Amino acid sequence: MTTWFAVMLGGAAGSAARYGVSLWTKNLWPGFPTATLMVNAAGGLLMGFIAAYALDRPEFPAWLRLGLTTGVLGGFTTFSAFSFETLELWREGSMNAALLNVALNLVLSLGACALGLWLARAATA
């Protein structure tokens, strides 16, 4: 039960931080999704750091690792999980799977977003 609460509280904190970054960056580069770029890059950096730190230390509690990664970073950006999983595939020698993961995430995510936009616009036309 501790893990569930850590993930939930972390998710709330990560979402609030994401919103804060949106407010902070809204005028930095008008017309460009600066906040998304910043949280994705920061999330990737933090995911790599926390994963390497926590996984190399058996005494690091799983509830805290999951609260920080799945909770905080999951609320902050899911791109951090994608980044870590892709790099793990690469590190394990599965370069083709890593590249496929990048290509599929990019194509399917953009395609799904485009389809969602089209469906919403068609429904309200």
PDB file of all heavy atoms in Angstrom, residues 38-81:
ATOM      1  N   MET A  38      11.394  21.116 -22.443  1.00  0.00           N
ATOM      2  CA  MET A  38      12.133  21.196 -21.172  1.00  0.00           C
ATOM      3  C   MET A  38      11.784  20.054 -20.230  1.00  0.00           C
ATOM      4  O   MET A  38      12.676  19.446 -19.635  1.00  0.00           O
ATOM      5  CB  MET A  38      11.898  22.545 -20.503  1.00  0.00           C
ATOM      6  CG  MET A  38      12.555  23.689 -21.260  1.00  0.00           C
ATOM      7  SD  MET A  38      12.316  25.258 -20.450  1.00  0.00           S
ATOM      8  CE  MET A  38      13.512  25.117 -19.131  1.00  0.00           C
ATOM      9  N   VAL A  39      10.498  19.739 -20.091  1.00  0.00           N
ATOM     10  CA  VAL A  39      10.146  18.656 -19.168  1.00  0.00           C
ATOM     11  C   VAL A  39      10.588  17.304 -19.714  1.00  0.00           C
ATOM     12  O   VAL A  39      10.989  16.427 -18.942  1.00  0.00           O
ATOM     13  CB  VAL A  39       8.648  18.632 -18.783  1.00  0.00           C
ATOM     14  CG1 VAL A  39       8.253  19.894 -18.055  1.00  0.00           C
ATOM     15  CG2 VAL A  39       7.762  18.371 -19.951  1.00  0.00           C
ATOM     16  N   ASN A  40      10.539  17.120 -21.027  1.00  0.00           N
ATOM     17  CA  ASN A  40      10.996  15.849 -21.588  1.00  0.00           C
ATOM     18  C   ASN A  40      12.496  15.670 -21.377  1.00  0.00           C
ATOM     19  O   ASN A  40      12.952  14.586 -21.008  1.00  0.00           O
ATOM     20  CB  ASN A  40      10.638  15.747 -23.066  1.00  0.00           C
ATOM     21  CG  ASN A  40       9.178  15.463 -23.284  1.00  0.00           C
ATOM     22  OD1 ASN A  40       8.483  14.993 -22.392  1.00  0.00           O
ATOM     23  ND2 ASN A  40       8.697  15.744 -24.476  1.00  0.00           N
ATOM     24  N   ALA A  41      13.265  16.704 -21.610  1.00  0.00           N
ATOM     25  CA  ALA A  41      14.716  16.611 -21.407  1.00  0.00           C
ATOM     26  C   ALA A  41      15.044  16.442 -19.923  1.00  0.00           C
ATOM     27  O   ALA A  41      15.839  15.576 -19.545  1.00  0.00           O
ATOM     28  CB  ALA A  41      15.406  17.851 -21.972  1.00  0.00           C
ATOM     29  N   ALA A  42      14.418  17.241 -19.075  1.00  0.00           N
ATOM     30  CA  ALA A  42      14.671  17.134 -17.629  1.00  0.00           C
ATOM     31  C   ALA A  42      14.205  15.785 -17.091  1.00  0.00           C
ATOM     32  O   ALA A  42      14.887  15.161 -16.272  1.00  0.00           O
ATOM     33  CB  ALA A  42      13.962  18.271 -16.887  1.00  0.00           C
ATOM     34  N   GLY A  43      13.060  15.324 -17.567  1.00  0.00           N
ATOM     35  CA  GLY A  43      12.549  14.023 -17.139  1.00  0.00           C
ATOM     36  C   GLY A  43      13.474  12.891 -17.528  1.00  0.00           C
ATOM     37  O   GLY A  43      13.700  11.960 -16.749  1.00  0.00           O
ATOM     38  N   GLY A  44      14.022  12.962 -18.738  1.00  0.00           N
ATOM     39  CA  GLY A  44      14.983  11.947 -19.167  1.00  0.00           C
ATOM     40  C   GLY A  44      16.226  11.949 -18.298  1.00  0.00           C
ATOM     41  O   GLY A  44      16.724  10.893 -17.886  1.00  0.00           O
ATOM     42  N   LEU A  45      16.729  13.131 -17.999  1.00  0.00           N
ATOM     43  CA  LEU A  45      17.912  13.259 -17.149  1.00  0.00           C
ATOM     44  C   LEU A  45      17.641  12.687 -15.756  1.00  0.00           C
ATOM     45  O   LEU A  45      18.416  11.880 -15.235  1.00  0.00           O
ATOM     46  CB  LEU A  45      18.318  14.731 -17.038  1.00  0.00           C
ATOM     47  CG  LEU A  45      19.440  15.036 -16.052  1.00  0.00           C
ATOM     48  CD1 LEU A  45      20.761  14.491 -16.573  1.00  0.00           C
ATOM     49  CD2 LEU A  45      19.530  16.525 -15.812  1.00  0.00           C
ATOM     50  N   LEU A  46      16.522  13.083 -15.173  1.00  0.00           N
ATOM     51  CA  LEU A  46      16.183  12.609 -13.832  1.00  0.00           C
ATOM     52  C   LEU A  46      15.898  11.110 -13.800  1.00  0.00           C
ATOM     53  O   LEU A  46      16.286  10.415 -12.858  1.00  0.00           O
ATOM     54  CB  LEU A  46      14.990  13.393 -13.280  1.00  0.00           C
ATOM     55  CG  LEU A  46      15.275  14.862 -12.981  1.00  0.00           C
ATOM     56  CD1 LEU A  46      13.975  15.616 -12.695  1.00  0.00           C
ATOM     57  CD2 LEU A  46      16.238  14.987 -11.818  1.00  0.00           C
ATOM     58  N   MET A  47      15.224  10.594 -14.839  1.00  0.00           N
ATOM     59  CA  MET A  47      14.948   9.161 -14.888  1.00  0.00           C
ATOM     60  C   MET A  47      16.250   8.369 -14.929  1.00  0.00           C
ATOM     61  O   MET A  47      16.409   7.374 -14.218  1.00  0.00           O
ATOM     62  CB  MET A  47      14.088   8.816 -16.106  1.00  0.00           C
ATOM     63  CG  MET A  47      13.800   7.322 -16.243  1.00  0.00           C
ATOM     64  SD  MET A  47      12.801   6.621 -14.913  1.00  0.00           S
ATOM     65  CE  MET A  47      11.170   7.054 -15.470  1.00  0.00           C
ATOM     66  N   GLY A  48      17.171   8.808 -15.765  1.00  0.00           N
ATOM     67  CA  GLY A  48      18.461   8.128 -15.847  1.00  0.00           C
ATOM     68  C   GLY A  48      19.202   8.162 -14.532  1.00  0.00           C
ATOM     69  O   GLY A  48      19.746   7.152 -14.076  1.00  0.00           O
ATOM     70  N   PHE A  49      19.215   9.320 -13.891  1.00  0.00           N
ATOM     71  CA  PHE A  49      19.929   9.470 -12.625  1.00  0.00           C
ATOM     72  C   PHE A  49      19.302   8.605 -11.528  1.00  0.00           C
ATOM     73  O   PHE A  49      19.985   7.850 -10.840  1.00  0.00           O
ATOM     74  CB  PHE A  49      19.951  10.937 -12.189  1.00  0.00           C
ATOM     75  CG  PHE A  49      20.685  11.143 -10.905  1.00  0.00           C
ATOM     76  CD1 PHE A  49      22.060  11.312 -10.903  1.00  0.00           C
ATOM     77  CD2 PHE A  49      20.016  11.154  -9.689  1.00  0.00           C
ATOM     78  CE1 PHE A  49      22.758  11.492  -9.716  1.00  0.00           C
ATOM     79  CE2 PHE A  49      20.698  11.328  -8.498  1.00  0.00           C
ATOM     80  CZ  PHE A  49      22.082  11.495  -8.514  1.00  0.00           C
ATOM     81  N   ILE A  50      17.985   8.722 -11.367  1.00  0.00           N
ATOM     82  CA  ILE A  50      17.307   7.980 -10.306  1.00  0.00           C
ATOM     83  C   ILE A  50      17.413   6.479 -10.547  1.00  0.00           C
ATOM     84  O   ILE A  50      17.680   5.711  -9.623  1.00  0.00           O
ATOM     85  CB  ILE A  50      15.837   8.416 -10.179  1.00  0.00           C
ATOM     86  CG1 ILE A  50      15.763   9.860  -9.682  1.00  0.00           C
ATOM     87  CG2 ILE A  50      15.057   7.488  -9.254  1.00  0.00           C
ATOM     88  CD1 ILE A  50      14.398  10.500  -9.817  1.00  0.00           C
ATOM     89  N   ALA A  51      17.222   6.058 -11.786  1.00  0.00           N
ATOM     90  CA  ALA A  51      17.296   4.625 -12.091  1.00  0.00           C
ATOM     91  C   ALA A  51      18.684   4.083 -11.785  1.00  0.00           C
ATOM     92  O   ALA A  51      18.823   3.048 -11.130  1.00  0.00           O
ATOM     93  CB  ALA A  51      16.933   4.375 -13.552  1.00  0.00           C
ATOM     94  N   ALA A  52      19.712   4.772 -12.234  1.00  0.00           N
ATOM     95  CA  ALA A  52      21.075   4.301 -11.994  1.00  0.00           C
ATOM     96  C   ALA A  52      21.401   4.316 -10.503  1.00  0.00           C
ATOM     97  O   ALA A  52      21.993   3.367  -9.979  1.00  0.00           O
ATOM     98  CB  ALA A  52      22.077   5.158 -12.756  1.00  0.00           C
ATOM     99  N   TYR A  53      20.998   5.353  -9.821  1.00  0.00           N
ATOM    100  CA  TYR A  53      21.288   5.473  -8.390  1.00  0.00           C
ATOM    101  C   TYR A  53      20.549   4.391  -7.596  1.00  0.00           C
ATOM    102  O   TYR A  53      21.130   3.689  -6.777  1.00  0.00           O
ATOM    103  CB  TYR A  53      20.900   6.863  -7.893  1.00  0.00           C
ATOM    104  CG  TYR A  53      21.285   7.112  -6.461  1.00  0.00           C
ATOM    105  CD1 TYR A  53      22.557   7.587  -6.147  1.00  0.00           C
ATOM    106  CD2 TYR A  53      20.397   6.861  -5.430  1.00  0.00           C
ATOM    107  CE1 TYR A  53      22.928   7.809  -4.824  1.00  0.00           C
ATOM    108  CE2 TYR A  53      20.755   7.079  -4.112  1.00  0.00           C
ATOM    109  CZ  TYR A  53      22.020   7.549  -3.820  1.00  0.00           C
ATOM    110  OH  TYR A  53      22.377   7.759  -2.518  1.00  0.00           O
ATOM    111  N   ALA A  54      19.243   4.279  -7.835  1.00  0.00           N
ATOM    112  CA  ALA A  54      18.412   3.365  -7.046  1.00  0.00           C
ATOM    113  C   ALA A  54      18.677   1.903  -7.377  1.00  0.00           C
ATOM    114  O   ALA A  54      18.726   1.063  -6.479  1.00  0.00           O
ATOM    115  CB  ALA A  54      16.933   3.694  -7.254  1.00  0.00           C
ATOM    116  N   LEU A  55      18.846   1.590  -8.638  1.00  0.00           N
ATOM    117  CA  LEU A  55      19.026   0.188  -9.027  1.00  0.00           C
ATOM    118  C   LEU A  55      20.378  -0.358  -8.588  1.00  0.00           C
ATOM    119  O   LEU A  55      20.536  -1.563  -8.427  1.00  0.00           O
ATOM    120  CB  LEU A  55      18.828   0.026 -10.532  1.00  0.00           C
ATOM    121  CG  LEU A  55      17.400   0.285 -11.024  1.00  0.00           C
ATOM    122  CD1 LEU A  55      17.328   0.206 -12.545  1.00  0.00           C
ATOM    123  CD2 LEU A  55      16.409  -0.682 -10.387  1.00  0.00           C
ATOM    124  N   ASP A  56      21.357   0.515  -8.397  1.00  0.00           N
ATOM    125  CA  ASP A  56      22.674   0.075  -7.941  1.00  0.00           C
ATOM    126  C   ASP A  56      22.768  -0.027  -6.421  1.00  0.00           C
ATOM    127  O   ASP A  56      23.813  -0.388  -5.894  1.00  0.00           O
ATOM    128  CB  ASP A  56      23.767   1.038  -8.448  1.00  0.00           C
ATOM    129  CG  ASP A  56      24.015   0.889  -9.935  1.00  0.00           C
ATOM    130  OD1 ASP A  56      23.591  -0.131 -10.511  1.00  0.00           O
ATOM    131  OD2 ASP A  56      24.631   1.799 -10.515  1.00  0.00           O
ATOM    132  N   ARG A  57      21.700   0.317  -5.723  1.00  0.00           N
ATOM    133  CA  ARG A  57      21.704   0.285  -4.266  1.00  0.00           C
ATOM    134  C   ARG A  57      20.512  -0.524  -3.763  1.00  0.00           C
ATOM    135  O   ARG A  57      19.388  -0.016  -3.708  1.00  0.00           O
ATOM    136  CB  ARG A  57      21.645   1.714  -3.729  1.00  0.00           C
ATOM    137  CG  ARG A  57      22.933   2.457  -3.971  1.00  0.00           C
ATOM    138  CD  ARG A  57      22.782   3.948  -3.692  1.00  0.00           C
ATOM    139  NE  ARG A  57      24.039   4.624  -3.884  1.00  0.00           N
ATOM    140  CZ  ARG A  57      24.570   4.910  -5.083  1.00  0.00           C
ATOM    141  NH1 ARG A  57      23.951   4.551  -6.181  1.00  0.00           N
ATOM    142  NH2 ARG A  57      25.725   5.542  -5.175  1.00  0.00           N
ATOM    143  N   PRO A  58      20.755  -1.773  -3.381  1.00  0.00           N
ATOM    144  CA  PRO A  58      19.645  -2.612  -2.915  1.00  0.00           C
ATOM    145  C   PRO A  58      18.933  -2.045  -1.687  1.00  0.00           C
ATOM    146  O   PRO A  58      17.777  -2.360  -1.437  1.00  0.00           O
ATOM    147  CB  PRO A  58      20.297  -3.951  -2.585  1.00  0.00           C
ATOM    148  CG  PRO A  58      21.740  -3.831  -2.895  1.00  0.00           C
ATOM    149  CD  PRO A  58      22.033  -2.439  -3.359  1.00  0.00           C
ATOM    150  N   GLU A  59      19.611  -1.187  -0.932  1.00  0.00           N
ATOM    151  CA  GLU A  59      18.986  -0.611   0.255  1.00  0.00           C
ATOM    152  C   GLU A  59      18.007   0.516  -0.077  1.00  0.00           C
ATOM    153  O   GLU A  59      17.261   0.980   0.776  1.00  0.00           O
ATOM    154  CB  GLU A  59      20.061  -0.106   1.240  1.00  0.00           C
ATOM    155  CG  GLU A  59      20.819   1.139   0.789  1.00  0.00           C
ATOM    156  CD  GLU A  59      21.995   0.881  -0.168  1.00  0.00           C
ATOM    157  OE1 GLU A  59      22.181  -0.258  -0.610  1.00  0.00           O
ATOM    158  OE2 GLU A  59      22.712   1.851  -0.467  1.00  0.00           O
ATOM    159  N   PHE A  60      18.011   0.983  -1.332  1.00  0.00           N
ATOM    160  CA  PHE A  60      17.092   2.043  -1.758  1.00  0.00           C
ATOM    161  C   PHE A  60      15.689   1.440  -1.843  1.00  0.00           C
ATOM    162  O   PHE A  60      15.454   0.513  -2.605  1.00  0.00           O
ATOM    163  CB  PHE A  60      17.519   2.598  -3.126  1.00  0.00           C
ATOM    164  CG  PHE A  60      16.951   3.947  -3.436  1.00  0.00           C
ATOM    165  CD1 PHE A  60      17.648   5.100  -3.090  1.00  0.00           C
ATOM    166  CD2 PHE A  60      15.737   4.081  -4.077  1.00  0.00           C
ATOM    167  CE1 PHE A  60      17.142   6.355  -3.387  1.00  0.00           C
ATOM    168  CE2 PHE A  60      15.219   5.326  -4.372  1.00  0.00           C
ATOM    169  CZ  PHE A  60      15.922   6.469  -4.017  1.00  0.00           C
ATOM    170  N   PRO A  61      14.742   1.939  -1.068  1.00  0.00           N
ATOM    171  CA  PRO A  61      13.419   1.305  -1.030  1.00  0.00           C
ATOM    172  C   PRO A  61      12.680   1.383  -2.369  1.00  0.00           C
ATOM    173  O   PRO A  61      12.657   2.436  -3.021  1.00  0.00           O
ATOM    174  CB  PRO A  61      12.659   2.085   0.044  1.00  0.00           C
ATOM    175  CG  PRO A  61      13.545   3.165   0.531  1.00  0.00           C
ATOM    176  CD  PRO A  61      14.842   3.091  -0.196  1.00  0.00           C
ATOM    177  N   ALA A  62      12.058   0.290  -2.749  1.00  0.00           N
ATOM    178  CA  ALA A  62      11.314   0.228  -4.011  1.00  0.00           C
ATOM    179  C   ALA A  62      10.184   1.253  -4.041  1.00  0.00           C
ATOM    180  O   ALA A  62       9.912   1.860  -5.079  1.00  0.00           O
ATOM    181  CB  ALA A  62      10.768  -1.178  -4.240  1.00  0.00           C
ATOM    182  N   TRP A  63       9.511   1.465  -2.899  1.00  0.00           N
ATOM    183  CA  TRP A  63       8.401   2.416  -2.870  1.00  0.00           C
ATOM    184  C   TRP A  63       8.884   3.827  -3.194  1.00  0.00           C
ATOM    185  O   TRP A  63       8.186   4.592  -3.863  1.00  0.00           O
ATOM    186  CB  TRP A  63       7.658   2.384  -1.532  1.00  0.00           C
ATOM    187  CG  TRP A  63       8.453   2.860  -0.357  1.00  0.00           C
ATOM    188  CD1 TRP A  63       9.167   2.083   0.515  1.00  0.00           C
ATOM    189  CD2 TRP A  63       8.625   4.212   0.074  1.00  0.00           C
ATOM    190  NE1 TRP A  63       9.784   2.872   1.459  1.00  0.00           N
ATOM    191  CE2 TRP A  63       9.461   4.192   1.218  1.00  0.00           C
ATOM    192  CE3 TRP A  63       8.160   5.445  -0.387  1.00  0.00           C
ATOM    193  CZ2 TRP A  63       9.842   5.344   1.895  1.00  0.00           C
ATOM    194  CZ3 TRP A  63       8.535   6.590   0.296  1.00  0.00           C
ATOM    195  CH2 TRP A  63       9.362   6.535   1.417  1.00  0.00           C
ATOM    196  N   LEU A  64      10.092   4.166  -2.745  1.00  0.00           N
ATOM    197  CA  LEU A  64      10.626   5.498  -3.017  1.00  0.00           C
ATOM    198  C   LEU A  64      11.054   5.622  -4.483  1.00  0.00           C
ATOM    199  O   LEU A  64      10.765   6.624  -5.135  1.00  0.00           O
ATOM    200  CB  LEU A  64      11.805   5.792  -2.091  1.00  0.00           C
ATOM    201  CG  LEU A  64      12.481   7.152  -2.251  1.00  0.00           C
ATOM    202  CD1 LEU A  64      11.468   8.287  -2.102  1.00  0.00           C
ATOM    203  CD2 LEU A  64      13.612   7.293  -1.251  1.00  0.00           C
ATOM    204  N   ARG A  65      11.713   4.581  -4.997  1.00  0.00           N
ATOM    205  CA  ARG A  65      12.114   4.590  -6.407  1.00  0.00           C
ATOM    206  C   ARG A  65      10.891   4.720  -7.311  1.00  0.00           C
ATOM    207  O   ARG A  65      10.866   5.545  -8.226  1.00  0.00           O
ATOM    208  CB  ARG A  65      12.888   3.310  -6.748  1.00  0.00           C
ATOM    209  CG  ARG A  65      13.265   3.216  -8.222  1.00  0.00           C
ATOM    210  CD  ARG A  65      14.067   1.950  -8.528  1.00  0.00           C
ATOM    211  NE  ARG A  65      13.469   0.729  -8.032  1.00  0.00           N
ATOM    212  CZ  ARG A  65      12.514   0.038  -8.659  1.00  0.00           C
ATOM    213  NH1 ARG A  65      12.024   0.459  -9.807  1.00  0.00           N
ATOM    214  NH2 ARG A  65      12.040  -1.074  -8.136  1.00  0.00           N
ATOM    215  N   LEU A  66       9.853   3.935  -7.033  1.00  0.00           N
ATOM    216  CA  LEU A  66       8.640   3.995  -7.854  1.00  0.00           C
ATOM    217  C   LEU A  66       7.874   5.300  -7.640  1.00  0.00           C
ATOM    218  O   LEU A  66       7.270   5.829  -8.580  1.00  0.00           O
ATOM    219  CB  LEU A  66       7.749   2.791  -7.564  1.00  0.00           C
ATOM    220  CG  LEU A  66       8.331   1.473  -8.060  1.00  0.00           C
ATOM    221  CD1 LEU A  66       7.559   0.293  -7.491  1.00  0.00           C
ATOM    222  CD2 LEU A  66       8.347   1.429  -9.573  1.00  0.00           C
ATOM    223  N   GLY A  67       7.904   5.815  -6.432  1.00  0.00           N
ATOM    224  CA  GLY A  67       7.261   7.104  -6.186  1.00  0.00           C
ATOM    225  C   GLY A  67       7.922   8.224  -6.976  1.00  0.00           C
ATOM    226  O   GLY A  67       7.248   9.112  -7.506  1.00  0.00           O
ATOM    227  N   LEU A  68       9.247   8.151  -7.084  1.00  0.00           N
ATOM    228  CA  LEU A  68       9.979   9.174  -7.840  1.00  0.00           C
ATOM    229  C   LEU A  68       9.867   8.977  -9.344  1.00  0.00           C
ATOM    230  O   LEU A  68       9.667   9.939 -10.093  1.00  0.00           O
ATOM    231  CB  LEU A  68      11.453   9.171  -7.434  1.00  0.00           C
ATOM    232  CG  LEU A  68      11.752   9.641  -6.008  1.00  0.00           C
ATOM    233  CD1 LEU A  68      13.225   9.387  -5.665  1.00  0.00           C
ATOM    234  CD2 LEU A  68      11.394  11.103  -5.840  1.00  0.00           C
ATOM    235  N   THR A  69      10.004   7.731  -9.808  1.00  0.00           N
ATOM    236  CA  THR A  69      10.015   7.487 -11.259  1.00  0.00           C
ATOM    237  C   THR A  69       8.604   7.408 -11.827  1.00  0.00           C
ATOM    238  O   THR A  69       8.205   8.249 -12.632  1.00  0.00           O
ATOM    239  CB  THR A  69      10.815   6.209 -11.601  1.00  0.00           C
ATOM    240  OG1 THR A  69      10.274   5.088 -10.904  1.00  0.00           O
ATOM    241  CG2 THR A  69      12.272   6.377 -11.259  1.00  0.00           C
ATOM    242  N   THR A  70       7.829   6.422 -11.404  1.00  0.00           N
ATOM    243  CA  THR A  70       6.467   6.266 -11.924  1.00  0.00           C
ATOM    244  C   THR A  70       5.579   7.419 -11.482  1.00  0.00           C
ATOM    245  O   THR A  70       4.768   7.913 -12.274  1.00  0.00           O
ATOM    246  CB  THR A  70       5.868   4.931 -11.449  1.00  0.00           C
ATOM    247  OG1 THR A  70       6.737   3.870 -11.852  1.00  0.00           O
ATOM    248  CG2 THR A  70       4.496   4.703 -12.027  1.00  0.00           C
ATOM    249  N   GLY A  71       5.733   7.862 -10.246  1.00  0.00           N
ATOM    250  CA  GLY A  71       4.896   8.939  -9.719  1.00  0.00           C
ATOM    251  C   GLY A  71       5.303  10.310 -10.203  1.00  0.00           C
ATOM    252  O   GLY A  71       4.666  10.888 -11.083  1.00  0.00           O
ATOM    253  N   VAL A  72       6.393  10.837  -9.647  1.00  0.00           N
ATOM    254  CA  VAL A  72       6.807  12.210  -9.969  1.00  0.00           C
ATOM    255  C   VAL A  72       7.103  12.366 -11.456  1.00  0.00           C
ATOM    256  O   VAL A  72       6.545  13.240 -12.125  1.00  0.00           O
ATOM    257  CB  VAL A  72       8.035  12.633  -9.128  1.00  0.00           C
ATOM    258  CG1 VAL A  72       8.530  14.005  -9.572  1.00  0.00           C
ATOM    259  CG2 VAL A  72       7.691  12.656  -7.650  1.00  0.00           C
ATOM    260  N   LEU A  73       7.980  11.520 -11.985  1.00  0.00           N
ATOM    261  CA  LEU A  73       8.351  11.684 -13.390  1.00  0.00           C
ATOM    262  C   LEU A  73       7.233  11.272 -14.333  1.00  0.00           C
ATOM    263  O   LEU A  73       7.099  11.824 -15.424  1.00  0.00           O
ATOM    264  CB  LEU A  73       9.638  10.916 -13.694  1.00  0.00           C
ATOM    265  CG  LEU A  73      10.871  11.462 -12.977  1.00  0.00           C
ATOM    266  CD1 LEU A  73      12.095  10.620 -13.296  1.00  0.00           C
ATOM    267  CD2 LEU A  73      11.115  12.919 -13.321  1.00  0.00           C
ATOM    268  N   GLY A  74       6.403  10.306 -13.921  1.00  0.00           N
ATOM    269  CA  GLY A  74       5.235   9.950 -14.729  1.00  0.00           C
ATOM    270  C   GLY A  74       4.250  11.096 -14.824  1.00  0.00           C
ATOM    271  O   GLY A  74       3.645  11.323 -15.870  1.00  0.00           O
ATOM    272  N   GLY A  75       4.077  11.837 -13.731  1.00  0.00           N
ATOM    273  CA  GLY A  75       3.216  13.013 -13.757  1.00  0.00           C
ATOM    274  C   GLY A  75       3.859  14.178 -14.484  1.00  0.00           C
ATOM    275  O   GLY A  75       3.196  14.985 -15.111  1.00  0.00           O
ATOM    276  N   PHE A  76       5.161  14.253 -14.388  1.00  0.00           N
ATOM    277  CA  PHE A  76       5.923  15.334 -15.027  1.00  0.00           C
ATOM    278  C   PHE A  76       6.011  15.115 -16.531  1.00  0.00           C
ATOM    279  O   PHE A  76       5.764  16.011 -17.321  1.00  0.00           O
ATOM    280  CB  PHE A  76       7.316  15.379 -14.394  1.00  0.00           C
ATOM    281  CG  PHE A  76       8.121  16.607 -14.708  1.00  0.00           C
ATOM    282  CD1 PHE A  76       7.648  17.874 -14.412  1.00  0.00           C
ATOM    283  CD2 PHE A  76       9.381  16.485 -15.266  1.00  0.00           C
ATOM    284  CE1 PHE A  76       8.402  19.009 -14.681  1.00  0.00           C
ATOM    285  CE2 PHE A  76      10.135  17.605 -15.543  1.00  0.00           C
ATOM    286  CZ  PHE A  76       9.655  18.869 -15.246  1.00  0.00           C
ATOM    287  N   THR A  77       6.368  13.896 -16.934  1.00  0.00           N
ATOM    288  CA  THR A  77       6.474  13.551 -18.347  1.00  0.00           C
ATOM    289  C   THR A  77       6.582  12.050 -18.509  1.00  0.00           C
ATOM    290  O   THR A  77       7.333  11.408 -17.790  1.00  0.00           O
ATOM    291  CB  THR A  77       7.708  14.199 -19.010  1.00  0.00           C
ATOM    292  OG1 THR A  77       7.843  13.676 -20.327  1.00  0.00           O
ATOM    293  CG2 THR A  77       8.979  13.932 -18.241  1.00  0.00           C
ATOM    294  N   THR A  78       5.849  11.488 -19.449  1.00  0.00           N
ATOM    295  CA  THR A  78       6.018  10.062 -19.728  1.00  0.00           C
ATOM    296  C   THR A  78       7.193   9.833 -20.663  1.00  0.00           C
ATOM    297  O   THR A  78       7.617   8.716 -20.878  1.00  0.00           O
ATOM    298  CB  THR A  78       4.760   9.444 -20.352  1.00  0.00           C
ATOM    299  OG1 THR A  78       4.435  10.150 -21.537  1.00  0.00           O
ATOM    300  CG2 THR A  78       3.598   9.486 -19.377  1.00  0.00           C
ATOM    301  N   PHE A  79       7.717  10.887 -21.199  1.00  0.00           N
ATOM    302  CA  PHE A  79       8.860  10.762 -22.112  1.00  0.00           C
ATOM    303  C   PHE A  79      10.073  10.214 -21.379  1.00  0.00           C
ATOM    304  O   PHE A  79      10.919   9.564 -21.979  1.00  0.00           O
ATOM    305  CB  PHE A  79       9.177  12.133 -22.721  1.00  0.00           C
ATOM    306  CG  PHE A  79       9.899  12.060 -24.028  1.00  0.00           C
ATOM    307  CD1 PHE A  79       9.221  11.763 -25.191  1.00  0.00           C
ATOM    308  CD2 PHE A  79      11.260  12.292 -24.088  1.00  0.00           C
ATOM    309  CE1 PHE A  79       9.890  11.695 -26.403  1.00  0.00           C
ATOM    310  CE2 PHE A  79      11.932  12.228 -25.293  1.00  0.00           C
ATOM    311  CZ  PHE A  79      11.242  11.931 -26.456  1.00  0.00           C
ATOM    312  N   SER A  80      10.142  10.438 -20.076  1.00  0.00           N
ATOM    313  CA  SER A  80      11.271   9.925 -19.305  1.00  0.00           C
ATOM    314  C   SER A  80      11.270   8.400 -19.290  1.00  0.00           C
ATOM    315  O   SER A  80      12.324   7.778 -19.418  1.00  0.00           O
ATOM    316  CB  SER A  80      11.230  10.475 -17.880  1.00  0.00           C
ATOM    317  OG  SER A  80      10.000  10.156 -17.259  1.00  0.00           O
ATOM    318  N   ALA A  81      10.104   7.789 -19.163  1.00  0.00           N
ATOM    319  CA  ALA A  81      10.020   6.332 -19.193  1.00  0.00           C
ATOM    320  C   ALA A  81      10.398   5.816 -20.576  1.00  0.00           C
ATOM    321  O   ALA A  81      11.149   4.843 -20.708  1.00  0.00           O
ATOM    322  CB  ALA A  81       8.612   5.870 -18.827  1.00  0.00           C
TER     323      ALA A  81
END
